[in-house]
Amino acid sequence: DTLLTRWRELGDMLVARAPTAGRRFALKWSFAHRFILWHERAALTSGGRFVVPSESARRDLVESYGNLAAGVRVLPTGVDLDRFHPRNRHLFFEEERQRLGLRPEELVLLFVGSDATRKGLDTLLRSLARLKEDGKADDVRLLVVGPGVRQREQYAALAGDLGLRDQVTFAA
């Protein structure tokens, strides 16, 4: 099975998430958010170079700060293409699946991100729960990499509440 074929079997589900007006208001006026905005503005006006890891991060800064962010450059996160080349899959595949407790027949979905809230991990968990209710996710495992300890506990509890405790693995 290819991933695309398997995804089609699970059903066409497009998940989009937009913050509610209340959430946008709370975020806009939170102390932490205002401090981050102040810090970003200070960095952008310092005259130094400002580098972000993705085009979407650059667009966010341009939308927020206009001309102040015109000089922001994108420097993508590097990947060792020799180590992570498909020809090496057989070298690590079985060992890593065993280490993570993943069965060979499971389709593994991967979520990677440091800000699980902004990236919609809760929406992904709820979508996986819906697929499970429909009997379409019995052999699907979600591997979550990246959220901090507090977020990890929060999302592990949500996964448990949704009946996904055995289908969601959190890795450091």
Side-chain angles (χ1 to χ4, degrees):
D1 283 17
T2 66
L3 181 59
L4 183 58
T5 303
R6 186 66 182 114
W7 185 251
R8 286 187 181 132
E9 289 172 6
L10 291 174
D12 297 325
M13 183 182 297
L14 177 62
V15 177
R17 183 169 184 263
T20 63
R23 191 173 187 157
R24 282 193 307 268
F25 179 81
L27 181 62
K28 181 178 180 179
W29 294 106
S30 77
F31 176 76
H33 183 69
R34 292 173 64 83
F35 176 75
I36 290 168
L37 292 176
W38 173 84
H39 203 294
E40 285 176 345
R41 182 174 293 281
L44 287 168
T45 58
S46 70
R49 294 182 185 203
F50 204 89
V51 178
V52 294
S54 68
E55 182 59 32
S56 65
R58 190 193 70 74
R59 276 194 310 269
D60 287 348
L61 288 172
V62 169
E63 285 177 22
S64 297
Y65 301 104
N67 288 337
L68 283 178
V72 172
R73 299 289 177 249
V74 176
L75 181 62
T77 306
V79 174
D80 182 343
L81 296 178
D82 289 327
R83 180 173 182 191
F84 295 102
H85 193 279
R87 71 174 171 263
N88 295 332
R89 181 176 182 205
H90 71 281
L91 297 174
F92 309 107
F93 185 76
E94 292 301 324
E95 180 182 322
E96 286 302 309
R97 285 183 80 95
Q98 285 178 357
R99 185 177 71 78
L100 294 168
L102 305 171
R103 297 187 318 267
E105 69 276 7
E106 286 180 310
L107 172 68
V108 178
L109 304 177
L110 179 63
F111 176 96
V112 179
S114 59
D115 187 352
T117 302
R118 186 172 63 86
K119 294 183 178 179
L121 179 56
D122 58 334
T123 303
L124 178 57
L125 289 170
R126 286 183 175 84
S127 299
L128 185 56
R130 281 185 51 197
L131 288 171
K132 184 177 179 178
E133 286 173 9
D134 293 342
K136 296 180 179 180
D138 294 334
D139 60 346
V140 175
R141 175 78 67 96
L142 175 61
L143 179 58
V144 180
V145 180
V149 174
R150 277 186 286 153
Q151 280 190 318
R152 188 175 305 138
E153 291 170 0
Q154 171 190 347
Y155 289 110
L158 177 59
D161 293 345
L162 294 170
L164 299 172
R165 189 172 314 279
D166 295 334
Q167 288 182 265
V168 180
T169 301
F170 292 87

